[in-house]
Amino acid sequence: MASSSATGADHLAHERSKAKFDVEAMKIVWAGSPHEFRVSDRMAHLVASDPSFRRENRAVLSRKELFTKALKKAAHSWKRITELGLSDEEASWLWFYVDELTFAYIHWGMFVPAIKGSGTEEQQNKWLPLATTMRIIGTYAQTELGHGSNVQGIETTATFDPTTDEFIIHSPTLTSSKWWSGGLGKIATHAVVYARVITPDGQDHGVNGFIVQIRSLDDHLPLPGVTVGDIGTKFGSGAFNSVDNGVLRFDHVRIPRNQMLMRVAHVTREGKYVLSNVPRQLLYGTMVYVRKIIVVDSSIALSRAVCIAARYSSVRRQFGSQNREINGIAVETPVIEYKTQQSRLFSLLASAYAFRFIGEWLKSLYTDLTQKLEANDFSTLAEAHACTAGLKSLTTSSAVHGIEECRKLCGGHGYLNSSGLPELYAVFAPSCTYEGDNTVLLLQVARFLMKTISQLPHSDQTHKLSGTIAYMALMDHYLIKYCCSVEKAEDWLKADVILKVFEARAIRMCVTCAQNLAKFADPSEGFSELSPDLVEAAIAHCQLIVVSKFIEKLQQKIEGNGVKQQLETLCHLYALDLIHKYSGDFISTGSLNPKQASLANDQLRALYAEVRPNVIALVDAFNYTDHFLGSILGCYDGNVYPKLYDEAWKDPLNDSVVTDGYPEYIKPLLNQQLLNARL
Amino acid sequence: MEGVDHLAQERSKAQFDVDQMKVIWAGSRHTLEVSDRIARLVASDPVFRKDNRTLLSRKDLFKNTLQKAAHAWKRITELRLSEEEAYWLRHYVDQPAYTDLHWGMFVPAIKGSGTEEQQKKWLPLAYKMQIIGCYAQTELGHGSNVQGLETTATFDPKTDEFVINSPTLTSSKWWPGGLGKAATHAVVYARLITDGQDHGVHGFIVQLRSLDDHLPLPGIIVGDIGMKFGSGAYNSMDNGVLRLDHVRIPREQMLMRVSQVTREGKYVQSNVPRQLLYGTMVYVRQTIVADASSALSRAVCIATRYSVVRRQFGSQDGGLETQVIDYKTQQSRLFPLLASAYAFRFVGEWLKWLYTDVTEKLQANDFLTLPEAHACTAGLKSLTTSATADGIEECRKLCGGHGYLSNSGLPELFAVYVPACTYEGDNIVLLLQVARFLMKTVAQLPSGKKPVGTTTYMGRAQHLIQCRCSAQKAEDWLNPSVILEVFEARAIRMSIACAQDLSKFSNQEEGFAELSSNLAEAAVAHCQLIVVSKFIDKVQQDIPGKGVKKQLEILCNIYALYTIHKHLGDFLSTGSITAKQASLANDQLRSLYSQLRPNAIALVDAFNFTDHYLGSVLGRYDGNVYPSLYAEAWKDPLNESVVPDGYREYVQPLLKNQLRNARL
């Protein structure tokens, strides 16, 4: 890389030397285990050093070029995976670090799990070997042009024809066109298509999945009766535009009966719809699985943005030169020294760690749930489902907002694509609306909470209050006796105090909602009228979960000099920042008083000062390569300005000194000859 | 399908005179008439088409921008449009271009900082666009802190010239719009050095490119700084980088209205007061506030129309699903943004008046109200741009998945708008300036000095720190004097609390730094009070038109009560209201949403946006969304061929398991 910036000096060395903890040990905590750290680190370097995975300047590519280059990366990824005989774990890290959204993401993330989750053993034996060797490429075709969150509103039909033992897949209306499915537009050969099952008696049995081949394996042309294409460009340049989100219409396409995914229900040769003895609830397991992944993705997306903003905030200087000298020369103050910068940035840093640990906990929840479901124990399903739905909503909303906040924290330069932040934002923004719209999910959580509350008076039910709603057993205590004990700022460092105040607030908001609901004669009318309040109660409950799991994490044994201390600081910071931001909730429910809120704020400021010297090391612990981070502002060595300057000249507009269009559109204007010009 | 209005039923529900509301929104019948005429002129001209902008490569997009700018200027001269009409034409072309900076920054800089003689020389050239100017202030390493700029302008008495130089990499001019590829001239800000002495930052007119062949002049390195957020959006602008290697310019190209350098090299202040320069800042920020209401109203218009079209859940027995606008969760997010769009419109209108007032006073050498006017515009710029950026993105989310498509118009609207939070004064830096002014005002209260303008309420501190909110039932929250007093109490109590905490520090600057987050919150409280009070003032005027005033009252109350709900912690912790009163305010807010619901479409129709200007399939006037979305999809370049480019090289070998032998 011939560049004025290739000097090799670490401009952030002085920041790194300030750290009061063992960064290497923190890397392992962040990764989850020494094993995960080693594997991910090895794969990150493998990807970063492979010129085929070089991060293109995606923003300047046309849609077609962007798409073709993404296909190339996907093919190269798969080639390396097979060549090197990578394990599933290694392969998934490789896809991750290539960091280019393609059809492969949907194939592995949605198509394969859908067959695993909803296919019979026989179906799995047939389709999985094809899919896991990528001899077919699959997509997941659920949402339609007119139908998103409400799966039961889907219009596509699958009508059984007993004369030929086939289903006829059909798109009866314009709004029934499948819409959004990634990989569908140009690449997928197969799709799991969700459609209403109609049996010969004309009865509609609701929505079920079907494996439908959509393109020829010979020439890739759409099969007869299939109309398929891309739905057009999306938010940002680069970003999700490397994915061919697609539109798909069926004109009476016939598929064999055994391509209905029949684990839970099937249609017999005679056309009878039969539920299998596999409980329907099993399907919720897949939903929990997908949402848990999204929570983990939130922590990754947010941590990338925070890493960029933290490093650049240490490089960038502004104002204050009257107070600061280096070698006798007045220099401005690094912006990270400003409290206004700290209060915005450090709370996001704490959130990134909080979401990391909640994601880790959700993994264990999912394992536990799967075991229970397989043993036909459904007792914890509702709680697990509500909890993952709520956490998906909470973490994605916070991460999306946090990424944009990080962009603003970088000042004007954050607006340049080379900062990496615009693309990071554009890629993650849809997470608030896909896989369950965040508001719809919070209402599901609220519904669950209201149900829980309504059953509380029956003391024989309290044993059911396990997991994340166990605290509700203490309702009477919190409604009557509880009083926050904080008297001085340091009291806010007690885990127990923090936990109780979050529990009190959540339960009181829930009870208030329940009481207001009771005033309505028609409960569903009440639910709809009070839904904004219910959403707020659900958020309070979800924030409690995140805080409590962070606290639980700290109660584990944590290796490494000073590591635990740093995590404690971040945990307190996360909790106290929430108390500050949501002080309206806490004060109006009487969970704390204004004086205590003000003490929490004092303590928060003291925590910022503790984080300050450790901040660069805390983002180094994410262990991101410069390749993966993809940001000039966030480069490891902090040598930002020479790199920004070099990068500018690569823009196509700089290909020529005098711009295209000068003779037609600028020269006649300057020479006052426009009136005669043909534009 | 053509010509059917799918929203006709919604429009018929409106309880007010939409045409009268259009006049209110526009500001006057005259403005409505002019803007409407020019909007249609632009919409009907094929050169101004903008529906394929996100598909263009950077080069094509830029060339398209140059074409539109030239065509716009051609039409302006051909049709002999007035200045006002020309402004509206550029507004409706709706594509950031070098002309924005030429007219919006270069010309005003010369007007504001040039002597009469300089104005006579340069303005005619600029007005006829015989030169194209830009405004080169920020540098690679220097943004908000103008005093930190590094570029130097050293006077050479031997030749009577200034030598303009970029001494370091970080001194490279960076960001100026129009600089990269189009501008022939720039107002360059540089440190003035005479005889070894540094006199701080001044403006200089520097020619950058030859007027013959457009090549950069000797000693000048200039180019584009690369792509920015989003596709389309601000990428139509050639934000530039500029380095000057000892470039010489005649002495009279220093902008000398406020200070000058003599032939002998002496630095002399003129008798024109420096404060006049602040007038320009007030002017620029006032236009930014007006832009905020216009950007937010576009997003709200799209989200409102699509929320009426889109249906989800609630189908009984196979009937239609419920329109999403009927969900309270949708209303509680969308309607406050609609109210904010109106609120920002009126505060923008008021700022225009304030600017006129300040200008008159400055010309009469009356600087008494300047600090207050400056603080107030800085704070309102910060408040309205932050709320608008967040609001546009909220509108995108309110459209569900389809809001993520470029053709919803929302991604581009967001990407083009967000820099408003960091340019022309970073929003946090501005709030701290407001806070500094508030702390000074509080400190002077005991001296009996009467606070003026938007700080007049601080003169009633004694009353406001003791008063108790009188709301006892939900309807009490409809009383403007109740609302106003609650906002005043909260703002002054937060300011006074900050002042008291500050006084505990022996070093004031250290205290200000340590408490800056709290100070920023106090500044927000003060600015929200201004917006609420100006909305209330507006509603108390005589407003013609059936039902119009009633709608504005509803919007004003929604804005105020929503702000109370969102910042409840402030109101409760300062004791400005009780928890019970907060709950009543919330009840009232819900009932206001219901009152607004039937009028929602008419209230966004009142913005009078053409489909061309709105640029959104989801926000189409006729609501015929789904067939248009479907038709638009097929226009993507990826759909030019059924089998995509790259299939043979990268997909087929993968499917055939022949990748190992493939050369990728």
Side-chain angles (χ1 to χ4, degrees), chain A residues 165-184:
Chain A
D165 197 19
E166 289 172 320
F167 284 104
I168 304 166
I169 313 286
H170 186 62
S171 311
T173 61
L174 178 77
T175 47
S176 73
S177 310
K178 291 294 171 187
W179 194 269
W180 274 118
S181 314
L184 168 65

Side-chain angles (χ1 to χ4, degrees), chain A residues 282-297:
Chain A
L282 270 187
L283 298 182
Y284 284 97
T286 314
M287 223 186 260
V288 170
Y289 170 78
V290 172
R291 289 181 183 158
K292 151 198 91 108
I293 290 178
I294 297 178
V295 172
V296 174
D297 288 348

